[in-house]
């Protein structure tokens, strides 16, 4: 028994020792760190362990750490490898009673040995960098010698209208830079129409929050879309340009010359043009560049010309940019444009009141001769103590001659009028502005003191000669009565506006990832208005004192606030602010003892929250509140009857509006599929909304308009945009749409009226790019404008338009290219006599390239082959109790032959 017990104890003791040794051996592990030459951890390094009894693999994490577990052997060999880096081999020995090794840090160096040639089959086309999306131009099949504008048309997310207005993912591009510098004062048309696409290395679309927000480091303002063009390395020192000369039928002509010199930071550009084909070089703050109506995404694919009337444009521009030394850079330029316009058309205005309507039909002719000059300088300086100073002076001068002739027919129940209205005016409008931005440098990171100021002065002098003649047929009584009305006025208006705006912000970092801003803003605006009216009929040409005015108005706003920003990482950022804003308005007529005053204190919270679920998926929430002051038309306390059938009387007791906007956006970018989705939702309500108040009697055609403050206005807006390859990379599909619902308010004969308006827009674009030799695009758009009125009675109006278009171009060989485009538009629900055509627009052209490097191009084109563009300038507006529809003439059919020469010169190689 003792022997059996002894043997059992020996077996148990042996088993315990063996299992303990085995367990210890099986729990052996190695961990360590792999870094590059700068000491930063390397992600994705391949780790391979080979031992007597093991073969294990792993990769390093985001910080360069690795760990190998479950090692059996005592002696192991580990290799560290990564493409482009030298392979490292190490051996490790486990000592007795040691089951974990902390390996020494491994540094990996670039592989210096030559390797076989590697052919890159595809360049990554789009890279998402958060607030910046980068497009690599080499990834796109762009035709040789194409301008940047043509390249944008085939790139995903971009929409380019016929007038040059450019959108990206549904948002308008507002400015342009070249290698980080503003190009032609940020003028988009200048860049897209003059820069060859093969000069561009990559294109960056940037969410720009403005210079002040950038300096403060606090992004709590609304962003704008701008583009930065990064040139190819061998195009940073180059002189290039082009010249165009053309003539055609219907006395159409065009001539332009442009020369640009880039010298690695030094830039100078000179361009000039004269034409009557509505081709503009500059936007001058108007998206369409020709001073017409603003364009929208609904115009994408409409191959008609969007400019009203017939236009003659002459323009010249000179800009430069120069580094004076390592601290100071200077840029600026001069631009001039002369625009002569002749517009003819007809309109119908229906004003509804309880029990009656006033209808006004007009045939009109407008002539304009507008001259615009602008000079601007921009000085950017980084001082020796690293402070930043930016100074921007601007001067502009506008002189405009306008002629309006209207033949009118008015009716209201049993009152009918027939007559004419003639207005000739000369307007002179000089402007001056001086702005300055200063940012103080501190040794403590992110501590900022930023001051921003702007002083501006604007003068508007207008001399008008107005004449009206009406024959009035009055059948309200037993016997019809015919009366005659004649009025002539000579109106001399002088308005001067001066404003001073300034802000000071101190930003202090505290805790981790937090910034606190203390800010103070001031806004003071002064308006002085003088108006003298002389009636040369009946009273010997004397002055009409009751229509004259000498009025002084002042708006003041002082805002003190705090902003807090917390940004712990790239995924999350929140801004919260609160401001106290006292505002005051005061106005007084010269010689009058009454002063019209209004004051209020606004409490303004602001919020901005952004969260990124991943690098390519983010959501943003915003609230914005601000004051909107009334303009002079709203507050002028004197009766303006220069249009005797639409009299305007301002209200000097108006309060400033307070604007409240809640918005949210969702963005998703799928890089491996080239897809992008974005949707935005916004709700806005306005306290003390300034609305029109109209009055009229049932037995007259005269209407009187004044303005009131009221609450209850709101609007809800939703839009989306989706872009994706379709079937394969050669097909691209863009789908976008928006729904706007507006709860508008007005007063009709002192009764509050609500107009509910629904705007629905849906777009589809399909692009097919076989290669750089052929491309095509299909567009469709549907638009609904629906309004519902409460007063003077319930009424519904719905106007529809539908667009289909198809365009394409291709190279027959290296010399010849042909292109054609067609759009068909349908209108429904409009007044038949205004929109009684469904225009079909067909354009076609053929190009021949010749001389060395195809530097010359001969182009023959036909615009509007069916001659229907001249009838499609349709406007529809629903305001208050008014329904207004108009159709203006536009550019008609013409054939043109143009010669274009492209030149470029590279510096001599030393």
């Amino acid at each position: 028994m003792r022997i059996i017990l002894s043997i059992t104890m020996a077996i148990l003791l042996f088993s315990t020792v063996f299992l303990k040794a085995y367990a210890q051996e099986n729990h052996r592990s190695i961990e360590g760190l792999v870094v590059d030459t700068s000491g930063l951890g390397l992600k994705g390094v391949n780790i391979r362990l080979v031992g007597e009894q093991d073969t294990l693999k792993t990769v390093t994490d985001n910080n360069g750490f690795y760990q190998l577990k479950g090692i059996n052997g005592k002696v192991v060999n580990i290799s560290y490898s990564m493409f482009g880096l030298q392979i490292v081999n190490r051996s490790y020995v486990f000592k007795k009673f040691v089951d974990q090794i902390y390996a020494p840090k491994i540094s990996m160096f670039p592989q210096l040995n030559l390797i076989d040639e590697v052919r890159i089959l595809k360049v990554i086309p789009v890279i998402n960098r958060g607030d910046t999306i980068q497009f690599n131009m080499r990834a796109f099949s762009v035709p040789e010698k194409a301008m940047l504008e043509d390249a944008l048309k085939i790139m995903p997310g971009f929409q380019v209208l016929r007038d040059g207005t450019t959108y990206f993912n549904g948002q308008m591009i507002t400015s342009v830079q070249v290698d980080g510098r503003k190009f032609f004062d940020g003028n988009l048309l200048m860049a897209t129409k003059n820069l060859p696409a093969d000069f561009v290395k990559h294109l960056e679309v940037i969410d720009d929050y403005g210079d002040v927000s950038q300096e403060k480091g606090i992004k709590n303002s609304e962003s704008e879309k701008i583009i930065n063009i990064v040139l190819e390395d061998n195009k940073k020192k180059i002189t290039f340009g082009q010249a165009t000369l053309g003539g055609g039928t219907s006395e159409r002509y065009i001539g332009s010359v442009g020369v640009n010199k880039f010298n690695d930071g030094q830039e100078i550009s000179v361009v000039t043009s004269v034409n009557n084909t509505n081709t503009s070089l500059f936007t001058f703050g108007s998206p369409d560049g020709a001073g017409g109506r603003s364009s929208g995404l609904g115009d994408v694919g409409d191959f008609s010309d969007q400019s009203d009337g017939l236009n003659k444009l002459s323009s010249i521009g000179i800009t430069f940019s120069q580094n004076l030394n390592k601290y100071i850079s200077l840029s600026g330029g001069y631009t001039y444009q002369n625009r002569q316009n002749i517009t003819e058309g007809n309109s119908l205005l229906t004003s509804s009141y309880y029990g009656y309507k006033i209808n006004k039909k007009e045939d009109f002719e407008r002539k304009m001769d507008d001259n615009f000059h602008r000079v601007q300088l921009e000085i950017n300086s980084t001082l020796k103590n690293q402070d930043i100073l930016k100074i921007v002076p601007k001067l502009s001068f506008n002189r405009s001659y306008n002629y309006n002739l209207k033949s009118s027919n008015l009716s209201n129940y049993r009152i009918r009028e027939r007559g004419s209205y003639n207005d000739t005016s000369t307007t002179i409008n000089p402007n001056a502005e001086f702005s300055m931005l200063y940012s103080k440098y501190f040794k403590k990171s992110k501590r900022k003191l930023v001051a921003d100021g702007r002083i501006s002065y604007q003068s508007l002098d207008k001399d008008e000669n107005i004449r009206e003649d009406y024959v009035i047929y009055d059948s309200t009584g037993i016997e019809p009565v015919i009366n005659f009305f004649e009025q002539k006025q000579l109106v001399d208006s002088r308005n001067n506006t001066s404003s001073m705006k300034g802000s000071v912000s101190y930003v202090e970092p505290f805790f981790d990832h937090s910034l606190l801003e203390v800010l103070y803003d001031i806004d003071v605006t002064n308006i002085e208005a003088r108006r003298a009216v002389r009636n040369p009929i009946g009273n010997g040409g004397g002055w009409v004192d009751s229509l004259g005015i000498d009025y002084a108005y002042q708006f003041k706003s002082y805002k003190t606030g705090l902003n807090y920003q917390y940004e712990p990482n790239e995924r999350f950022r929140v801004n919260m602010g609160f401001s106290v804003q006292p505002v005051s308005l005061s106005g007084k007529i010269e010689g009058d003892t009454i002063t019209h005053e209004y004051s209020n204190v606004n409490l303004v919270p602001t919020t901005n929250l952004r969260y990124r679920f991943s690098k390519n998926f983010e959501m943003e929430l915003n609230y914005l509140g601000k004051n909107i002051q009334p303009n002079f038309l709203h507050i002028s306390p004197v009766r303006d009857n220069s249009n005797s059938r639409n009299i305007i009387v301002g209200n000097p007791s108006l309060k400033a509006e307070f604007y409240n906007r809640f918005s949210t956006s969702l963005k998703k970018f799928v890089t491996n599929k080239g897809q992008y989705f974005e949707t935005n939702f916004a709700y806005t309500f306005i306290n003390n909304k300034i609305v029109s108040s109209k009055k009229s009697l049932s037995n007259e055609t005269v209407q009187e308009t004044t303005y009131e403050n009221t609450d209850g206005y709101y609007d809800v807006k939703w839009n989306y945009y989706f872009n994706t390859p379709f079937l394969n990379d050669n097909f691209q599909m863009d789908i976008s749409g928006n729904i706007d619902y507006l709860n508008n308010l007005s007063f009709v004969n002192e009764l509050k009226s609500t107009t509910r308006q629904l705007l629905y827009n849906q777009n589809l674009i399909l692009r097919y790019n076989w290669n750089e030799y052929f491309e095509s695009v299909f567009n469709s758009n549907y638009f609904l404008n629906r309004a519902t009125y409460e007063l003077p009675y319930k009424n519904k109006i719905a106007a529809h338009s539908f667009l289909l278009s198809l365009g394409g171009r291709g190279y027959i060989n290296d010399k010849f290219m042909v292109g054609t485009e067609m759009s068909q538009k349908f209108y429904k629900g409009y007044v038949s006599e205004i929109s009684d055509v469904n225009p079909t627009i067909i354009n076609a052209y053929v190009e021949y390239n010749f001389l060395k490097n195809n530097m010359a191009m001969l182009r023959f084109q036909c615009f509007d082959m069916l001659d229907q563009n001249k009838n499609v300038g349709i406007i529809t507006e629903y305001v208050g109790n008014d329904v207004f529809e108009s159709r203006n003439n536009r550019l008609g059919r013409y054939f043109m032959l143009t010669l274009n020469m492209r030149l470029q010169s590279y510096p001599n190689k030393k």
Side-chain angles (χ1 to χ4, degrees), residues 86-103:
Q86 298 178 19
I87 297 175
V88 179
N89 293 296
R90 293 288 187 270
S91 297
Y92 302 98
V93 178
F94 285 94
K95 297 180 180 180
K96 191 175 183 180
F97 304 116
V98 174
D99 59 1
Q100 187 172 17
I101 293 178
Y102 295 95

Side-chain angles (χ1 to χ4, degrees), residues 279-304:
T279 303
S280 181
L281 290 179
F282 315 117
T283 58
F284 287 132
S286 174
D288 58 16
R293 298 191 302 274
S294 298
S295 303
L297 274 179
D299 297 320
V300 174
D302 189 351
F303 297 117
S304 63

Side-chain angles (χ1 to χ4, degrees), residues 572-583:
F572 179 75
R573 184 182 71 218
V574 61
N575 289 284
M576 294 181 293
F578 185 81
S579 301
V580 179
Q581 184 181 33
V583 297

Side-chain angles (χ1 to χ4, degrees), residues 112-375:
L112 301 179
N113 296 331
L114 294 176
I115 61 175
D116 294 336
E117 178 184 1
V118 177
R119 294 183 178 273
I120 300 175
L121 300 179
K122 186 174 181 180
V123 178
I124 298 176
V126 185
I127 301 174
N128 182 19
R129 304 188 187 278
D131 289 338
T132 300
I133 298 178
Q134 177 181 309
F135 293 84
N136 296 315
M137 294 299 291
R138 294 182 183 179
F140 300 95
S141 298
V142 180
E144 187 180 2
K145 306 297 181 182
M147 291 290 107
L148 180 59
E149 182 179 77
D150 297 320
L152 293 179
K153 292 178 181 179
I154 65 174
M155 294 171 65
F158 285 93
Q159 300 88 26
V160 182
L161 275 59
R162 182 179 182 86
D163 57 26
T165 306
T166 303
Y167 290 81
F168 177 73
N169 291 339
Q171 289 185 263
M172 183 185 293
I173 301 295
T174 60
S175 183
V176 63
Q177 300 175 351
V178 175
D179 285 336
R181 296 169 176 260
K182 277 191 177 182
F183 182 77
F184 241 103
D185 191 29
N187 198 295
L188 181 67
L189 290 182
M190 276 298 306
T192 58
K193 292 182 179 295
N194 287 277
L195 275 175
D198 57 4
F199 282 24
V200 181
K201 183 178 182 180
H202 56 255
L203 192 74
E204 297 174 337
V205 181
I206 303 171
D207 288 327
D208 182 59
Y209 292 88
D211 294 336
V212 176
S213 292
Q214 181 177 344
E215 287 301 320
K216 293 190 298 186
I218 295 180
K219 298 179 180 180
N220 59 351
S221 59
E222 293 184 288
S223 64
E224 295 182 342
K225 291 287 186 185
I226 68 172
I227 59 175
N228 179 43
I229 301 166
V230 180
L231 299 176
E232 291 280 4
D233 293 337
N234 63 342
K235 298 297 193 300
K236 295 182 184 293
K237 292 185 177 182
I238 188 174
T239 301
F240 67 97
Q242 59 176 327
T244 301
L245 182 65
T249 60
S250 302
E251 300 180 348
R252 301 289 147 220
Y253 60 85
I254 185 171
S256 66
V257 178
V259 179
N260 307 269
K261 182 178 181 180
F262 291 168
N263 188 15
D264 202 12
Q266 181 190 56
E267 300 173 6
I268 184 168
S269 299
V270 180
V271 293
T272 183
S273 174
V274 57
N275 69 86
N276 60 358
T277 60
N278 292 343
T279 303
S280 181
L281 290 179
F282 315 117
T283 58
F284 287 132
S286 174
D288 58 16
R293 298 191 302 274
S294 298
S295 303
L297 274 179
D299 297 320
V300 174
D302 189 351
F303 297 117
S304 63
D305 191 293
Q306 302 296 320
S307 300
D308 288 336
L310 303 178
N311 298 277
K312 295 181 180 179
L313 293 164
S314 303
S315 50
I316 185 172
I318 304 171
T319 64
F320 69 91
S321 179
Q322 174 70 53
N323 292 326
L324 300 182
N325 53 47
K326 65 178 181 179
Y327 299 110
I328 301 175
S329 65
L330 177 66
S331 62
Y334 165 76
T335 49
Y336 165 76
Q337 177 167 285
N338 170 259
R339 176 173 178 254
Q340 300 177 34
N341 171 269
I342 299 177
T343 301
E344 297 176 349
N346 53 81
S347 66
L348 175 61
L349 173 65
T350 302
S351 302
S352 299
Y353 293 88
Y354 185 77
Y356 59 96
K357 293 182 179 180
I358 299 177
N359 296 303
K360 184 178 183 180
K361 295 182 179 180
E362 285 187 337
D363 295 318
F364 55 85
E365 177 185 3
R366 296 193 295 261
K367 296 181 181 179
M368 183 185 69
D369 188 345
D370 184 82
N371 294 272
F372 185 86
H373 304 258
R374 180 171 59 189
V375 179

Side-chain angles (χ1 to χ4, degrees), residues 726-744:
F726 180 64
L727 299 180
N728 56 51
D729 289 345
N730 294 330
F731 285 92
Q732 196 75 28
M733 179 174 68
D734 295 352
I735 304 176
S736 62
N738 66 274
I739 298 176
D740 297 348
Y741 180 81
L742 298 90
N743 191 74
N744 284 308

Side-chain angles (χ1 to χ4, degrees), residues 25 121 200 234 375 407 514 525 530 537 556 569 847 876:
E25 183 176 292
L121 300 179
V200 181
N234 63 342
V375 179
S407 298
S514 296
T525 300
R530 296 176 179 85
I537 299 178
K556 292 181 180 180
N569 49 51
E847 294 179 359
T876 303

